[in-house]
Amino acid sequence: MEKKKLQVWLPLLFSITMIAGIYLGYKMRDQIPGKSFFYMEKRRPVQEIMDIIKNKYVDNVDINELADTAIQAMLNKLDPHSVFIPAKELQQVNEEMAGSFFGIGIEFDIFDDSLHVINVLKDGPSFKAGIKTGDKFLKANDHILSGRRIVTDSIRAILRGSRGSNVDIEILRGSQKMSIRVTRDMIPLTSLDACYMIDSITGYIRLNKFSQQTYREFMQSLEKLKKQGLKKLIFDLRGNGGGILDEAVEITDEFLDGDKLITYTVGKHSPRKEYRCRREGQFEKGALVVLIDEGTASASEVIIGALQDWDRATIIGRRTFGKGLVQDQFDLSDKSALRLTIARYYTPIGRSIQRSYAKGGKAYYEEIANRFHDGETYSADSVKNDSSKIYKTASGKKVFGGGGITPDYFIAADTGKMGMSIAKIYGKGLLNDYGYKYYLLNPSIIQLYKTPGEFARSFQVTDDNWKFFESMSMADSIDLKGLNDKEKMYLYRSLKTSIARQLWRNEGYFEVSNVEDNAVKKALELMKTQTQTPSAP
């Protein structure tokens, strides 16, 4: 009897339970973001169009490449710094941010369809295996690297790989063929271009980006210079396009005292976040000059903005790029990534240095080239900034927002490198080629000059050196006979720095080129009257 009653009531109990569940689900529907009761996701027109093209289009089409293009078109409606990074490019981008990759540790160039080793990283995998500057690569594993047109990107893909894996390389050294096995290892992508003492108390540090290793590299350099008597510092951020914000904040902390505000960020979906000094810095006192130009951007501008707002440094050069946006990277399911602007950053006194991008990305980037065309890079009187956005530092100094950071002292661009012939020389990479070829013809030069400083003081470009460069240029259909005196003098200096780069890499290049650098000269002139740059209260 009891069993029969259960059979009668069981369907009713199930029905009541189901109705209660539906009712509760209906009541809770608003608490589920983006979903509604009995929600079924509607296919978007973008996906519908992609499917139609895939199934109906007259010709074959790479649907993934088409999708990437569609994504980029969407981002073009936002700001110029929100970008989509395809999967095939993401690894290289991440390596740049990480400050390292796994490879064999050489710099190379292509001459006459042959891969030439321009430089071997000291103590790197190739150095340990016995590869030398001047070697020519014939093969790497089963890939032929000579005798045909070879592409730089494909060579990198062949030579890079997982840590501990081997590359069997066939090289030509002089007229002798050799087989060498190289075991891949971590190769640093250093942020530090140069670190040296200009005189007994004045140091120079130049950074080219802000990766995960930058603060560590900076501190090692600063400590090295302090041991050599550092009292005054020239900090060169020209051409530094930025990178990781936290690294820039950590470096700024070394220059400012107390718990001073360094920067703060705010976005529609990102509440205000402040970045302040947290510890005693290693260079809170002592004259400080920062060098800037139109290539100085983003994280670099965070440092400059804070130092300028707190009256901590003298800024020399030309107006910076003007990027005051913060991006976050979102990894996507197909191994690609979205780098999306999530906030704006502001200097301690509230300046946003972001330039307007209302006219679109093309006009935004063309504004930099227009500075050259409009004369701004050659004359302080032509400098443009949004004068309606004027701020004052604690000492009463006027500073600007809205269009990059304006320096305290203007330095014009070097007009010696603006001629058509010199532009062609840069386009062909002939100056870098010259240093390498000079070294091959004069390998004993490294024994004659032990340091970049000694080379800068003693080496002179001769008429024979010039004739050799003329012959290189003529081989690429560039005639140097029409150069004016200023252009020729510029090239003479460039040949010298090209040799220095070949011998001592970037460190040598900047130590030699800085001797004639107008911004560095101005910094040294100002520092003669400075003992310490005070911090604002």
Side-chain angles (χ1 to χ4, degrees):
M1 188 70 178
E2 293 294 331
K3 187 175 181 180
K4 287 184 178 180
K5 287 183 179 178
L6 183 62
Q7 288 176 341
V8 171
W9 287 102
L10 193 59
L12 182 59
L13 289 171
F14 278 138
S15 299
I16 293 171
T17 302
M18 184 176 69
I19 292 170
I22 292 173
Y23 176 78
L24 289 172
Y26 177 78
K27 287 293 186 181
M28 295 171 63
R29 73 194 189 284
D30 292 333
Q31 299 177 23
I32 304 175
K35 307 295 180 184
S36 60
F37 187 55
F38 288 149
Y39 174 81
M40 292 183 64
E41 186 171 354
K42 181 181 178 182
R43 296 175 72 236
R44 299 294 181 184
V46 172
Q47 186 58 53
E48 289 182 292
I49 291 171
M50 297 293 290
D51 290 344
I52 293 170
I53 292 173
K54 180 179 179 181
N55 296 317
K56 301 293 184 181
Y57 189 62
V58 62
D59 293 321
N60 290 328
V61 62
D62 186 333
I63 204 69
N64 291 326
E65 185 175 333
L66 198 63
D68 291 353
T69 303
I71 293 169
Q72 191 56 60
M74 283 192 291
L75 295 177
N76 287 342
K77 297 294 184 180
L78 304 179
D79 66 275
H81 299 289
S82 289
V83 295
F84 171 70
I85 307 170
K88 61 183 179 181
E89 299 175 15
L90 184 58
Q91 180 178 352
Q92 184 175 346
V93 172
N94 287 341
E95 287 171 350
E96 286 288 333
M97 289 294 99
S100 65
F101 65 94
F102 298 126
I104 66 169
I106 64 166
E107 292 180 37
F108 65 86
D109 206 344
I110 310 299
F111 300 105
D112 302 322
D113 293 338
S114 294
L115 186 157
H116 288 239
V117 178
I118 304 299
N119 182 55
V120 182
L121 177 69
K122 186 177 180 182
D123 298 326
S126 291
F127 181 91
K128 294 175 181 176
I131 290 176
K132 297 181 178 180
T133 298
D135 288 345
K136 299 177 185 178
F137 277 28
L138 304 178
K139 291 178 64 178
N141 290 336
D142 296 326
H143 301 278
I144 296 174
L145 299 180
S146 65
R148 60 191 178 95
R149 298 194 69 82
I150 45 183
V151 181
T152 299
D153 287 343
S154 63
I155 293 171
R156 288 198 183 99
I158 292 167
L159 298 181
R160 295 184 181 188
S162 58
R163 189 175 204 166
S165 59
N166 295 323
V167 188
D168 292 315
I169 299 172
E170 184 178 299
I171 68 168
L172 183 65
R173 181 175 295 166
S175 59
Q176 181 184 6
K177 285 187 179 181
M178 303 172 63
S179 294
I180 297 178
R181 172 168 286 187
V182 182
T183 302
R184 296 183 179 99
D185 205 343
M186 188 181 77
I187 308 300
L189 292 169
T190 180
S191 307
L192 183 75
D193 279 335
C195 160
Y196 70 98
M197 292 295 289
I198 295 179
D199 57 38
S200 61
I201 60 171
T202 308
Y204 173 91
I205 295 177
R206 181 183 176 103
L207 298 178
N208 58 55
K209 63 175 175 287
F210 292 92
S211 72
Q212 293 173 7
Q213 307 300 322
T214 302
Y215 176 63
R216 179 180 59 82
E217 292 174 9
F218 173 81
M219 289 305 295
Q220 289 173 345
S221 301
L222 189 62
E223 289 167 6
K224 171 187 169 183
L225 295 184
K226 288 180 73 173
K227 289 178 181 178
Q228 297 177 39
L230 177 72
K231 302 296 181 186
K232 303 177 181 182
L233 178 64
I234 299 174
F235 190 25
D236 194 344
L237 293 176
R238 289 175 295 182
N240 187 318
I244 299 175
L245 175 62
D246 287 342
E247 297 290 306
V249 168
E250 294 291 345
I251 290 173
T252 310
D253 197 352
E254 300 301 330
F255 297 125
L256 297 175
D257 59 13
D259 67 342
K260 286 185 170 64
L261 180 64
I262 295 171
T263 187
Y264 64 92
T265 62
V266 181
K268 181 177 180 181
H269 304 288
S270 301
R272 174 170 170 142
K273 181 178 180 181
E274 293 188 348
Y275 297 81
R276 291 183 171 274
C277 296
R278 298 181 293 109
R279 60 179 174 274
E280 183 178 352
Q282 294 300 304
F283 200 76
E284 292 179 357
K285 297 181 179 180
L288 176 63
V289 170
V290 184
L291 307 184
I292 64 173
D293 64 11
E294 53 284 337
T296 305
S298 192
S300 294
E301 292 172 297
V302 168
I303 294 177
I304 301 157
L307 297 179
Q308 192 177 54
D309 281 10
W310 289 111
D311 297 304
R312 173 64 186 93
T314 303
I315 314 299
I316 295 178
R318 296 184 295 280
R319 181 164 63 100
T320 61
F321 184 90
K323 177 180 181 290
L325 303 176
V326 181
Q327 285 74 45
D328 198 0
Q329 184 167 306
F330 301 88
D331 294 330
L332 306 178
S333 58
D334 68 344
K335 308 295 185 183
S336 61
L338 172 64
R339 186 167 289 173
L340 186 70
T341 296
I342 61 167
R344 295 177 182 270
Y345 76 77
Y346 297 83
T347 71
I349 59 176
R351 289 188 288 164
S352 168
I353 53 82
Q354 176 63 47
R355 288 186 288 117
S356 172
Y357 46 84
K359 295 181 180 179
K362 186 172 183 291
Y364 177 77
Y365 285 107
E366 284 178 347
E367 192 270 345
I368 299 297
N370 291 340
R371 297 186 195 182
F372 287 88
H373 298 150
D374 297 343
E376 176 177 336
T377 56
Y378 310 121
S379 170
D381 294 335
S382 300
V383 173
K384 296 177 181 177
N385 210 324
D386 190 343
S387 59
S388 66
K389 296 181 180 178
I390 298 175
Y391 298 76
K392 286 188 178 182
T393 69
S395 68
K397 181 174 65 177
K398 286 184 179 180
V399 291
F400 299 92
I405 295 175
T406 303
D408 302 317
Y409 293 90
F410 175 83
I411 299 293
D414 189 346
T415 56
K417 57 184 178 183
M418 292 298 124
M420 184 60 69
S421 294
I422 294 180
K424 291 179 180 178
I425 286 169
Y426 271 103
K428 295 286 186 178
L430 291 182
L431 288 173
N432 285 337
D433 295 352
Y434 176 82
Y436 170 67
K437 292 183 176 181
Y438 181 92
Y439 172 76
L440 293 184
L441 294 172
N442 303 274
S444 62
I445 189 172
I446 193 66
Q447 306 301 325
L448 296 176
Y449 304 98
K450 302 298 184 182
T451 65
E454 185 180 339
F455 179 85
R457 290 187 297 272
S458 305
F459 181 84
Q460 297 295 325
V461 175
T462 66
D463 289 341
D464 287 341
N465 300 150
W466 178 256
K467 288 176 182 176
F468 179 56
F469 184 67
E470 275 189 318
S471 67
M472 285 178 57
S473 300
M474 285 300 296
D476 269 309
S477 303
I478 303 172
D479 188 353
L480 301 183
K481 289 186 171 57
L483 296 176
N484 59 43
D485 290 342
K486 193 170 186 177
E487 290 172 326
K488 191 170 182 179
M489 184 61 66
Y490 171 78
L491 283 180
Y492 262 82
R493 295 197 305 268
S494 298
L495 295 182
K496 183 172 180 176
T497 55
S498 175
I499 298 169
R501 188 194 293 276
Q502 179 62 43
L503 299 178
W504 297 286
R505 311 318 299 155
N506 285 335
E507 180 91 13
Y509 172 84
F510 286 106
E511 187 163 350
V512 173
S513 65
N514 283 347
V515 174
E516 300 295 332
D517 189 299
N518 289 330
V520 174
K521 287 180 178 180
K522 182 65 176 178
L524 291 172
E525 175 190 326
L526 290 172
M527 283 180 164
K528 287 180 181 179
T529 61
Q530 293 178 330
T531 56
Q532 177 180 333
T533 306
S535 293

